[in-house]
Amino acid sequence: MAKTGYSATLIAPAKLNLSLTVLGKRPDGFHDLVSLVAFADLHDVLSVTLAETAVDQLTVAGPFAGSLDRDNLILKAVSAVRDAIKAVPPLSITLHKTIPVAAGLGGGSADAAAILRLLARQHGLAAMAPPIQEIAAGLGADIPVCLQSRCRYMRGTGTTLDPEQSGFARYPALLVNPGAAVPTGAVFKTLAAKKKAATDTSVPHGLTEEILAGRNDLEAPAVAVAPEIGPVLRTLSGLPGALGARLSGSGATCFTLFKTDSARDQAAELFRQTYPAYWMHAGALRNWDPDSLFPETPAFSG
């Protein structure tokens, strides 16, 4: 459990799009989609205390601190809660940035969701309370699904959430990012999938089949924008014990799943021999319990 008051350590888990189907472009220029989202044991850590100044303070550390925009979703989330619910004192926040930035892993959304969970708790609200979901949706399409960090489908522009998927199990996973720049706008411009009716949101597979055999409609356009993704996907899918390979979101992080930790670890060693310079995380997908998102002590990964 977190400490009382605004002194807390917060976990912000990375999200993965296990599947992503683009249904069509909306009149407002956004796209309707349906995506099965899960969360990894990879995470950022936020340390929060009361600020000694009259304004919020954000300090960033960790392996990906240098690539982060200081006009950050965390501070926007604090301001949004302050505007909607009031009574939020100035906060001093240290972000230990372990999730790669602009990588299809929702790191910025996860960070914003983490601070929203804390502020919701401070005001006696559940993380999924309608006022918090409304604030989250106004800040970014991936933030609502990150509030609980549990496997579920998101729909529409990403802000419509299905109930949590029952039966989701832990999956050993290998995540790889080649460091390619993949602008989301360029990926959608390249998207050549057929436009479907926006009401066609049916999912043809069961949960296990969707996890292991689903598709990402943004994968082919992302490879067209950043060709170095293609060899990564092919190498991952050919590793011993790999259960396919897929892109998360619009990339550039690719992932594959395994039946056992030992199979994942052996595959990670083989992959590293081919691509020693690429970022890699050998971990697992999991559902996060509410209390595990508020640890008593910092839990830095990476």
Side-chain angles (χ1 to χ4, degrees):
M1 185 72 66
K3 296 179 181 179
T4 58
Y6 287 94
S7 179
T9 298
L10 314 175
I11 296 296
K15 65 90 183 168
L16 272 81
N17 299 93
L18 298 181
S19 65
L20 194 159
T21 303
V22 179
L23 302 174
K25 193 171 184 179
R26 298 152 49 104
D28 60 9
F30 293 97
H31 288 77
D32 280 309
L33 56 84
V34 54
S35 178
L36 178 62
V37 177
F39 292 84
D41 55 2
L42 172 71
H43 58 80
D44 292 341
V45 178
L46 289 76
S47 299
V48 184
T49 60
L50 291 174
E52 297 180 356
T53 62
V55 296
D56 298 316
Q57 302 290 324
L58 176 64
T59 303
V60 185
F64 292 100
S67 54
L68 191 67
D69 184 357
R70 291 308 193 270
D71 184 18
N72 188 269
L73 278 173
I74 295 172
L75 297 181
K76 292 180 180 178
V78 175
S79 295
V81 172
R82 188 175 286 128
D83 291 343
I85 304 177
K86 311 297 183 186
V88 179
L91 300 179
S92 176
I93 303 167
T94 298
L95 168 64
H96 187 88
K97 191 67 186 169
T98 302
I99 303 173
V101 176
L105 296 175
S109 296
D111 297 339
I115 199 71
L116 287 176
R117 282 193 295 270
L118 173 65
L119 298 181
R121 179 175 287 197
Q122 290 303 112
H123 288 87
L125 297 172
M128 299 298 284
I132 300 300
Q133 288 199 59
E134 183 177 354
I135 291 170
L139 292 169
D142 280 345
I143 299 177
V145 78
C146 292
L147 287 171
Q148 284 188 314
S149 298
R150 300 179 70 84
C151 182
R152 66 196 332 140
Y153 283 98
M154 63 180 190
R155 302 176 185 272
T157 60
T159 58
T160 300
L161 304 180
D162 283 8
E164 177 187 334
Q165 282 290 313
S166 61
F168 176 78
R170 177 186 180 276
Y171 282 90
L174 183 62
L175 283 59
V176 174
N177 191 300
V182 192
T184 301
V187 172
F188 274 99
K189 286 182 180 178
T190 310
L191 180 65
K194 291 183 179 180
K195 182 178 180 180
K196 300 179 182 179
T199 55
D200 180 16
T201 59
S202 60
V203 178
H205 306 304
L207 178 62
T208 300
E209 186 179 0
E210 185 73 5
I211 290 171
L212 301 180
R215 73 177 196 268
N216 180 353
D217 285 346
L218 299 181
E219 189 172 291
V223 172
V225 172
E228 52 265 67
I229 293 173
V232 173
L233 289 168
R234 291 191 293 272
T235 302
L236 287 176
S237 64
L239 291 172
L243 303 174
R246 207 165 304 150
L247 188 73
S248 180
S250 58
T253 301
C254 308
F255 66 92
T256 186
L257 306 178
F258 298 86
K259 292 183 178 180
T260 66
D261 290 348
S262 60
R264 175 206 60 209
D265 293 343
Q266 292 171 11
E269 291 181 9
L270 290 173
F271 186 90
R272 181 64 76 201
Q273 293 173 14
T274 304
Y275 296 103
Y278 285 0
W279 175 88
M280 182 171 65
H281 174 75
L285 305 185
R286 57 172 288 189
N287 273 338
W288 287 78
D289 295 324
D291 284 346
S292 65
L293 297 169
F294 290 90
E296 293 182 357
T297 57
F300 298 120
S301 65

